[in-house]
């Protein structure tokens, strides 16, 4: 919900635990908990495939929920466009990774299935059916809803047939000066085979008539759009209708002047198309001696992976689409005819270009706890554990802590994991400064963070040049944990400080994703963080980790044990409650543990943003499980686990989702909130999500999601509630 949507604004709520008497207390979850205990039915087979949703189809459902936001007029208009474009970007990645993986599995003749028992070919067929319908719907929403609404607000996207004489002249000059010199038309004949086109690049297939300078009869040509040129350009103000900001697409300009690229020949047709390729990367740990070098080679290969989807203009003749399908070894099911630009994601540039704040979410200033506003951050953390909830609270204290550590002569060593960061981030600059100051700086960089590999290779080089020790983690396990460890000399001894988080060390995503950051000097937690870094940098047997849970060693087993512990409490007829918030729930053993807990009488509230393979509401199995997905202004990214624990509640925050890859194939950490005030605060945050009735989608037992409607009751948006509670008041 945006701040301007007054009919959906939440009631003012105070910051949890702040004791502010001027505002009402935070709403708490009123969901009834504790039911009559009962034993699991002996005939229940928790391995029954009917009890599980397919992972890929569940992923697709999440993308559809994102698309639904484009129709929600509670969001500002340009943000509705943003959601539509995010759907487009999400679908690109879905085809590049998930669909590509299924196609590869089928090509290998591998019919292995997940817990749902669906064969890969059947899943792929259903994906195709759903994706075709939703991508067509996306263009309907764009053309029939959003573009007319934007035009009514003075933002217009000019089609070729709408250009004025002055606009045509401007486009002609731009084409002559900036486009024609860098475009390379490729005629197709025996000496000019079909070109190798880059993944997701904009291209045109052109039908030609006549003869060229060498006497060759016309046929077909390919026009790759120059990648150096923006896909959308603003018309000069003096060429726009009064009161309007107007844009033209590069594709329209190339289309309008395609004939000039083939002098003396007639263009019978010019149609845009785009190929999506397999972009997954695989590195065999048994065959790689230098991970960085291997990944550089894989990055090049990613641009030219096998084709998985072909998008073409909806007016492209069938013979040309069939020709393209043959070139890319694709089937008719892989063809997507679209009613508009094939590269919609490039329209995201409009959000940065347009100065129309009334059409965007109202800006806000992230809050900063009083304890961190003045003096040394080390002094503040030494006094008490501090918890930040991004983006409602600022990410800058983590950056400031590293900057202070770099300058502080008493800081001896800094160790940090980096997954998605960016080579030019303040985090990396502080690490470079620390290394330059002669401090012992060790950075564990996960080079294989999908689609961030190039950035991570670059930041690794920058850190190494500054004198930092750079480690690429464990070859067979991605390092996904979010850890920072600082060693400081104080009063003749050494004191340890740590940051543990649920999100990445990335200042940009910290403004868009919800995450928790714990700053602590707790001896037990810091000792465990130190041991994790020892395991990552050295070799030897697994070290004993006392307070943290640590994948791939203890996290899965301990989560199973805590779920089973809650079930044992329920079987005694006592109140038992689990709240889990994460991005995905797909790991079968954890799902079965939750089924058993539900059968025992445990109330389970699951806040799963994306993929969920657990089926709620199945009689005798998951009657006591509710699953909701929150989709709103911010991307829900926190991973939090609450266990009532017979009246001695525990709150854990984690870098890990409940997926097999996180439990068994990644280095992850899960940390308890040992400070009771902080634990209570996070529990209240979770309860706020459980009473959201504006942006909460409830998963049904048939796999559909139903958006909650406040009806006659007060509308409550969890994200707006937390924004009000934590952000700086204006």
């Amino acid at each position: 919900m945006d701040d301007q949507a007054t009919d959906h604004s939440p009631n003012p709520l105070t910051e949890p635990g702040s004791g502010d008497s001027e505002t009402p207390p935070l709403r708490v979850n009123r969901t009834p908990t504790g039911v009559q205990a009962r034993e699991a039915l002996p005939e229940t087979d928790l391995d029954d495939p009917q009890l599980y949703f397919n992972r890929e189809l569940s992923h697709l459902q999440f993308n559809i929920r994102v698309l639904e936001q484009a129709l929600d007029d509670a969001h500002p208009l340009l943000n509705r466009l943003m959601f539509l474009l995010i759907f487009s970007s999400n679908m690109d990645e879905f085809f590049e990774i998930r669909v590509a993986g299924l196609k590869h599995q089928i090509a290998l003749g591998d019919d292995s299935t997940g817990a749902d028992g669906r064969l890969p070919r059947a899943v792929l067929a259903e994906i195709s059916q759903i994706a075709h319908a939703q991508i067509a719907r996306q263009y309907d929403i764009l053309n029939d809803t959003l573009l007319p609404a934007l035009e009514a607000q003075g933002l217009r996207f000019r089609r070729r047939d709408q250009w004025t004489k002055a606009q045509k002249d401007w486009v002609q000059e731009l084409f002559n000066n900036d486009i024609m010199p860098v475009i390379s038309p490729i005629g197709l004949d025996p000496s000019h085979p079909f070109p190798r086109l880059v993944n997701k690049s904009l291209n045109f297939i052109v039908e030609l008539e006549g003869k060229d300078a060498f006497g060759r009869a016309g046929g077909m040509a390919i026009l790759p759009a120059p990648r150096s040129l923006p896909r959308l350009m603003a018309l000069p103000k003096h060429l726009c209708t009064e009161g309007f900001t107007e844009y033209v697409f590069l594709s329209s300009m190339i289309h309008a002047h395609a004939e000039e690229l083939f002098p003396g020949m007639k263009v019978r047709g010019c149609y845009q198309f785009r190929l999506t390729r397999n972009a997954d990367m695989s590195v065999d740990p048994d065959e790689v001696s230098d991970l960085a070098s291997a990944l550089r080679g894989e990055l090049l290969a990613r641009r030219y992976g096998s084709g998985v989807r072909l998008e073409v203009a909806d007016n492209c003749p069938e013979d040309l689409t069939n020709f393209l399908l043959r070139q890319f070894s694709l089937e008719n099911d892989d063809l997507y005819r679209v009613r508009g630009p094939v590269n919609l994601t490039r329209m995201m540039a409009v959000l940065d270009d347009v100065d129309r704040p009334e059409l965007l979410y109202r800006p806000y200033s992230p809050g900063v706890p009083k304890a961190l506003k003045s003096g040394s951050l080390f002094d503040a953390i030494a006094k008490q554990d501090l918890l930040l909830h991004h983006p409602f609270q600022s990410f800058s204290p983590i950056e400031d802590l590293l900057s202070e550590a770099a300058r502080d002569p008493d800081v001896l060593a800094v160790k940090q994991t980096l997954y998605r960061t960016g080579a030019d981030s303040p985090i990396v600059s502080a690490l470079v400064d620390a290394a330059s100051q002669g401090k012992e700086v060790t950075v564990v960089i996960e080079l294989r963070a999908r689609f961030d590999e190039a950035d991570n290779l670059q930041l690794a080089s920058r850190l190494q040049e500054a004198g930092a020790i750079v480690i690429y983690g464990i070859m067979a396990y991605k390092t996904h944990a979010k850890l920072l460890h600082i060693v400081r000399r104080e009063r003749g001894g050494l004191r340890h400080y740590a940051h543990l988080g649920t999100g990445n060390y990335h200042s940009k995503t910290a403004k868009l994703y919800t995450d928790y950051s714990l700053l602590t000097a707790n001896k037990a937690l810091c000792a465990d963080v130190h041991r994790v870094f020892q395991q990552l940098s050295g070799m030897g047997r697994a070290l004993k980790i006392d307070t943290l849970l640590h994948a791939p060693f203890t996290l899965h087993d301990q989560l199973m044990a805590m779920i089973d512990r809650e079930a044992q409490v329920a079987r005694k007829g006592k109140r038992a409650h689990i709240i889990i918030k994460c991005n995905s729930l797909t790991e079968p053993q954890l799902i079965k543990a939750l089924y058993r807990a539900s059968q025992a009488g445990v109330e389970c509230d699951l806040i799963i943003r994306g993929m969920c393979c657990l089926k709620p509401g199945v009689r005798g199995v998951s009657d006591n499980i509710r699953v909701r997905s929150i989709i709103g202004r911010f991307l829900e990214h926190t991973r939090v686990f609450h266990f009532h624990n017979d009246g001695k509640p525990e709150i854990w925050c984690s870098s890990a989702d409940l997926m097999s890859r996180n439990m068994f194939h990644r280095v992850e950490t899960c940390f308890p909130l040992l400070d009771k005030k902080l634990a209570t605060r996070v529990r209240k945050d979770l309860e706020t999500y459980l009473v959201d009735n504006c942006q909460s989608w409830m998963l049904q037992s048939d796999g559909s999601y139903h958006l909650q409607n406040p009806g006659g009751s007060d509308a409550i948006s969890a994200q707006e509630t937390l924004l009000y509670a934590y952000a700086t008041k204006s």
Side-chain angles (χ1 to χ4, degrees), residues 219-450:
M220 285 187 291
I222 299 297
L223 283 178
R227 301 178 69 204
S228 58
L229 297 179
R231 284 350 188 204
L232 193 66
M233 301 184 193
L235 285 165
K237 199 66 181 174
H238 69 277
L239 296 180
C240 297
T241 305
E242 186 176 355
F244 279 81
T245 300
E246 298 184 331
Y247 295 89
V248 292
F249 288 97
L250 176 67
S251 56
S252 296
M253 291 187 274
I254 292 176
H255 200 156
H257 296 282
E259 203 156 272
E260 297 175 33
L261 297 166
F262 304 95
M265 304 189 77
K266 180 177 179 58
V267 171
R268 295 175 52 199
C270 179
Y271 311 97
Q272 58 177 309
F273 71 92
R274 187 176 77 141
L275 177 69
T276 307
R277 296 182 180 273
N278 182 339
D280 207 1
M281 295 175 62
S282 59
V283 178
D284 187 342
D286 295 329
E287 297 182 2
V288 171
S289 58
D290 183 343
L291 180 59
S293 297
L295 277 176
R296 288 188 181 96
E298 285 289 311
L299 282 170
L300 181 62
R302 170 186 278 169
R303 298 169 63 187
Y304 300 106
S306 57
V308 294
R309 175 182 60 165
L310 175 65
E311 297 166 279
V312 299
D314 59 354
N315 63 340
C316 186
E318 187 173 354
D319 60 326
L320 294 187
T321 59
N322 289 337
F323 171 77
L324 290 172
L325 288 171
R326 289 194 301 273
Q327 292 300 317
F328 304 127
S329 301
L330 295 174
E331 306 293 333
N332 273 327
D333 284 349
D334 304 314
L335 175 67
Y336 289 77
R337 292 183 175 273
V338 299
R339 191 163 65 99
V342 297
N343 52 343
L344 277 184
T345 308
R346 294 297 192 99
M347 289 182 70
M348 199 72 80
V350 173
L351 301 179
D352 294 325
D353 184 71
V354 173
D355 185 19
R356 296 289 299 276
E358 74 277 13
L359 300 181
L360 291 163
Y361 291 126
R362 184 181 301 170
Y364 70 97
S365 297
V368 178
K370 291 180 182 178
L372 297 176
K373 286 185 176 179
S374 60
S376 167
L377 292 175
F378 290 113
D379 291 344
I381 299 167
K383 291 176 183 176
Q384 61 182 327
D385 284 359
L386 295 162
L387 187 72
L388 300 171
H389 194 173
H390 314 302
F392 317 112
Q393 291 178 296
S394 177
F395 184 72
S396 61
I398 290 90
E399 298 171 336
D400 294 342
L401 177 64
L402 272 168
S403 295
E404 184 177 340
R407 299 189 306 269
D408 189 337
D410 291 325
V411 169
L412 305 179
V414 178
K415 297 181 181 180
Q416 185 164 17
T417 60
L418 296 180
Y419 191 75
R420 301 187 194 278
T421 302
D424 297 325
S425 79
I427 292 283
V428 177
S429 295
L431 292 169
V432 166
D433 289 345
S436 301
Q437 294 290 328
K439 303 181 191 306
E440 192 73 13
V441 176
T442 304
V443 186
V444 182
I445 299 178
E446 181 46 71
L447 294 181
R448 295 161 295 177
R450 184 177 293 152

Side-chain angles (χ1 to χ4, degrees), residues 581 607 630 636 685-692 718 722:
K581 184 175 184 297
I607 308 165
I630 306 290
E636 290 298 333
D685 288 353
L686 291 173
E687 289 168 344
T688 303
Y689 283 105
L690 295 182
V691 295
D692 184 300
L722 295 169

Side-chain angles (χ1 to χ4, degrees), residues 531-532 534-536 538-545 550 553:
R531 293 186 188 105
V532 172
Q534 281 185 300
Q535 288 188 172
L536 288 170
M539 300 185 73
R541 301 181 68 85
L543 298 174
K544 187 175 185 296
I545 307 294
H550 184 203
F553 304 108

